[in-house]
Amino acid sequence: MNHLKRVNSALISVYDKNNLEPIIQKLEELDIQIYSTGGTKDFIEKLNIKVTAVEEITNYPSILGGRVKTLHPKVFGGILARRDNNSDKKEIEEYQIPEIDLVIVDLYPFEDTVTSGANEQDIIEKIDIGGISLIRAAAKNFKDTLIVPSKNQYRDLIDLLESKNGETSIGDRKRFAMEAYNISSHYDTAIFNYFNTDFQKRVFKQSYAGGNELRYGENPHQEGVFFGNLNDVFEQLHGKQISYNNLLDIEAAVQLISEFKDTTFAILKHNNACGIASRGKLVDAWNDALAGDPVSAFGGILITNREVDMDAAIEIDKIFFEVIIAPSYSDNALEVLKKKKNRIILIQKLFDFPNKQYRSMLNGALIQDRDLKTEKENDLKSVTKKAPTKDEIEDFIFANKLVKHSKSNTIVLAKNKQLLASGVGQTSRVDALKQAITKATSFNLDLKGAIMASDAFFPFADSVQIANEAGVSLVIQPGGSVRDQDSIDYCNKHNMVMVFTGTRHFKH
């Protein structure tokens, strides 16, 4: 495994030429024959370094607007030839095929082109054919050929050439081959997913290039890695490394706050809102969000849809929290918030999140559409004799947004665009309601005239009765139970308002 093989020749065909010059200089220093084509050959020639055009090997020009350059038996034969195979050796001598020991490729930026919003013709032209073929061929013949599949491996190549003076072991070549198939499979997955947007073939293909190792997973004895680029979504201004549990809460916080247009502040703990309020001033939204559950707010995740100003920062600074997320911060607010060195301060960028969700399940994966249904006024069907007022309708919509983003079974109690209390993750709806009532009572929050929102229908009238006895007078729920009329009759008898949405919002 440690037998060293000298690199005598290299084929270079790259899209991104940044940081390529040191490699070219090193190859010349090691007296390695360089073959190249197109823009890469021009780049090398400008460095006054000798390079042989691929066309001199193939006796064929680049054709079809550059679509066909390296696709030729004299190129691929030199890459794939097995050096210890007598038949292969005889054929490459017969057909005058030069052996190629090193292949350096950087593919056309297909994903970046798609992300840029380019038209389909430009996107299709960024599907690399020659480069991906070179990668696969060289990786297959790792016993004899070293493949560098991406600009991200340029530094590794220089280090290898310098440390071993132009020689490589089969272990080195197999490691680079592994990287090559990582690159090629990711590239093909991106292309497939682009085409599949039109057809929605039921297959599950996802690929993320590179993972960020976290301090640990959900618990210290579990390893954790995040695959994705957080820099696309956030700018971290301050604080320690984001943890696995932070990410779970951040995801829940971002999805929740996206529902609100009014000035809103939310506090989350274990993926559920423990406080949220919408107000005219941010500091008021914060104070009323905190009032909903000042105990659970300790160590929570804070998020708002407005710039954090000095007034709000002074109040926020009074409690311990893990993360704060906002679209921006005033300079003096940042000075206050940065006093604690471990506080994670994030700016949320504009980003379109995927509309699909998936999670590992048993020996496979579950995939579903993200719950993008948010009820509006015309979705609410009044089913009681007493109809809601305009202000009550706004509160209904506020409360239903919260219940949508809370773990089932869940009950939310709210009033005047403020979360009073919630019961989440319970095995029965009655238990969720009792939990919410107990919590609101413990913080001296008045439930008279409050709204009860439920993520699913009430199978019996017991929940509306318990809520009413606690002071609740308005109910929003999906409806759909065979015993809906029992709940409606109770509400009518006690002068309550109830509306149906027709949409269940389970969240597990």
Side-chain angles (χ1 to χ4, degrees):
M1 289 291 291
N2 293 320
H3 176 70
L4 297 179
K5 182 180 184 297
R6 176 166 176 76
V7 176
N8 293 308
S9 59
L11 170 62
I12 309 175
S13 179
V14 302
Y15 179 83
D16 190 337
K17 296 156 187 73
N18 289 323
N19 302 315
L20 182 62
E21 182 175 348
I23 293 176
I24 304 301
Q25 301 286 359
K26 176 56 68 175
L27 295 179
E28 183 189 43
E29 178 186 322
L30 294 169
D31 196 27
I32 294 173
Q33 169 74 55
I34 301 175
Y35 301 101
S36 191
T37 186
T40 307
K41 181 180 75 70
D42 296 340
F43 176 85
I44 296 170
E45 287 177 335
K46 289 178 181 178
L47 299 175
N48 295 317
I49 291 176
K50 184 179 179 182
V51 56
T52 300
V54 167
E55 291 83 351
E56 292 184 28
I57 301 174
T58 63
N59 292 317
Y60 231 92
S62 171
I63 61 172
L64 306 182
R67 281 188 165 196
V68 180
K69 291 179 283 191
T70 57
L71 295 170
H72 194 280
K74 283 198 170 183
V75 174
F76 282 83
I79 294 169
L80 287 164
R82 292 160 290 188
R83 312 305 196 252
D84 60 356
N85 184 293
N86 289 331
S87 177
D88 285 8
K89 290 169 67 175
K90 181 179 178 181
E91 287 183 347
I92 64 172
E93 289 175 8
E94 179 181 352
Y95 295 108
Q96 298 181 330
I97 298 174
E99 293 180 352
I100 297 174
D101 304 317
L102 168 63
V103 176
I104 303 174
V105 176
D106 185 65
L107 298 170
Y108 290 161
F110 176 81
E111 289 179 281
D112 290 344
T113 306
V114 172
T115 302
S116 73
N119 61 51
E120 183 159 276
Q121 181 178 349
D122 291 339
I123 290 171
I124 298 304
E125 288 305 315
K126 286 298 186 290
I127 298 176
D128 206 312
I129 303 300
I132 204 76
S133 302
L134 291 171
I135 287 173
R136 292 179 63 84
K140 177 176 181 176
N141 198 31
F142 70 87
K143 186 176 179 182
D144 298 299
T145 308
L146 177 67
I147 173 63
V148 177
S150 162
K151 61 185 178 181
N152 295 328
Q153 278 76 46
Y154 286 178
R155 184 68 256 173
D156 288 345
L157 174 63
I158 291 178
D159 291 343
L160 179 61
L161 294 175
E162 288 180 344
S163 65
K164 295 184 177 176
N165 197 31
E167 295 182 320
T168 66
S169 70
I170 192 169
D172 296 326
R173 297 191 295 277
K174 191 170 185 178
R175 175 170 60 86
F176 274 80
M178 175 274 295
E179 294 287 358
Y181 286 121
N182 177 38
I183 294 292
S184 65
S185 62
H186 177 84
Y187 198 76
D188 284 341
T189 296
I191 295 170
F192 167 78
N193 284 330
Y194 170 75
F195 277 89
N196 199 36
T197 55
D198 291 337
F199 303 100
Q200 296 299 307
K201 185 176 177 64
R202 291 190 179 275
V203 295
F204 180 59
K205 293 182 185 292
Q206 293 293 326
S207 178
Y208 293 96
N212 299 311
E213 186 174 345
L214 305 173
R215 298 197 304 274
Y216 49 80
E218 206 160 3
N219 299 291
H221 62 276
Q222 296 171 267
E223 291 186 0
V225 180
F226 174 75
F227 288 93
N229 187 357
L230 282 178
N231 292 329
D232 290 342
V233 187
F234 302 108
E235 178 185 354
Q236 183 167 352
L237 303 179
H238 185 74
K240 61 185 178 181
Q241 180 189 9
I242 296 173
S243 72
Y244 183 99
N245 290 328
N246 289 155
L247 286 171
L248 294 176
D249 284 328
I250 288 169
E251 157 78 7
V254 167
Q255 298 303 330
L256 173 61
I257 204 69
S258 68
E259 301 275 7
F260 297 92
K261 303 300 181 187
D262 294 339
T263 299
T264 302
F265 221 122
I267 308 167
L268 286 89
K269 198 75 170 287
H270 296 291
N271 312 155
N272 294 292
C274 58
I276 183 169
S278 296
R279 294 290 182 264
K281 292 178 62 179
L282 187 64
V283 66
D284 295 334
W286 162 254
N287 286 329
D288 287 347
L290 181 63
D293 188 346
V295 174
S296 295
F298 182 86
I301 306 295
L302 318 183
I303 190 165
T304 181
N305 55 2
R306 294 291 188 272
E307 177 175 278
V308 176
D309 56 25
M310 184 63 167
D311 289 343
I314 290 171
E315 295 302 313
I316 294 166
D317 187 55
K318 293 177 180 178
I319 74 162
F320 167 73
F321 61 89
E322 288 270 342
V323 181
I324 184 168
I325 308 164
S328 59
Y329 304 82
S330 69
D331 290 341
N332 51 11
L334 269 181
E335 286 183 22
V336 172
L337 296 174
K338 285 183 175 180
K339 288 178 181 178
K340 302 292 192 297
K341 68 176 183 178
N342 286 330
R343 278 179 180 166
I344 298 170
I345 302 176
L346 302 176
I347 289 179
Q348 183 180 346
K349 302 177 182 179
L350 294 176
F351 186 82
D352 292 326
F353 291 95
N355 291 336
K356 296 287 185 181
Q357 293 176 306
Y358 45 89
R359 64 170 72 176
S360 61
M361 184 59 55
L362 299 174
N363 61 341
L366 277 175
I367 305 170
Q368 68 168 355
D369 296 330
R370 189 180 292 278
D371 186 354
L372 299 176
K373 173 68 175 176
T374 299
E375 282 69 32
K376 298 179 173 59
E377 182 175 351
N378 58 7
D379 294 311
L380 308 187
K381 178 185 177 182
S382 181
V383 294
T384 49
K385 294 177 181 178
K386 187 176 181 180
T389 66
K390 185 172 181 57
D391 287 343
E392 288 169 346
I393 289 173
E394 290 185 7
D395 253 7
F396 273 141
I397 293 170
F398 176 89
N400 211 56
K401 289 176 181 178
L402 302 188
V403 89
K404 169 185 169 181
H405 290 274
S406 301
K407 296 288 187 179
S408 301
N409 287 314
T410 184
I411 293 290
V412 163
L413 303 178
K415 183 168 64 174
N416 298 330
K417 296 184 180 178
Q418 177 190 15
L419 173 62
L420 300 180
S422 60
V424 296
Q426 298 301 303
T427 52
S428 82
R429 208 153 299 283
V430 169
D431 286 345
L433 173 58
K434 288 180 177 178
Q435 181 189 58
I437 292 171
T438 299
K439 182 174 284 191
T441 303
S442 70
F443 296 120
N444 298 315
L445 296 172
D446 184 10
L447 293 179
K448 185 177 181 181
I451 285 174
M452 173 175 66
S454 176
D455 59 336
F457 64 66
F458 295 113
F460 305 102
D462 50 1
S463 291
V464 291
Q465 179 179 347
I466 294 168
N468 178 242
E469 290 171 353
V472 171
S473 57
L474 301 109
V475 180
I476 182 170
Q477 58 141 319
S481 168
V482 294
R483 302 187 65 169
D484 276 344
Q485 194 60 46
D486 291 352
S487 295
I488 295 171
D489 290 345
Y490 183 92
C491 288
N492 283 332
K493 184 177 180 180
H494 294 83
N495 200 34
M496 298 174 70
V497 175
M498 184 158 65
V499 298
F500 286 178
T501 65
T503 301
R504 189 183 73 186
H505 286 294
F506 271 168
K507 184 182 180 187
H508 296 102

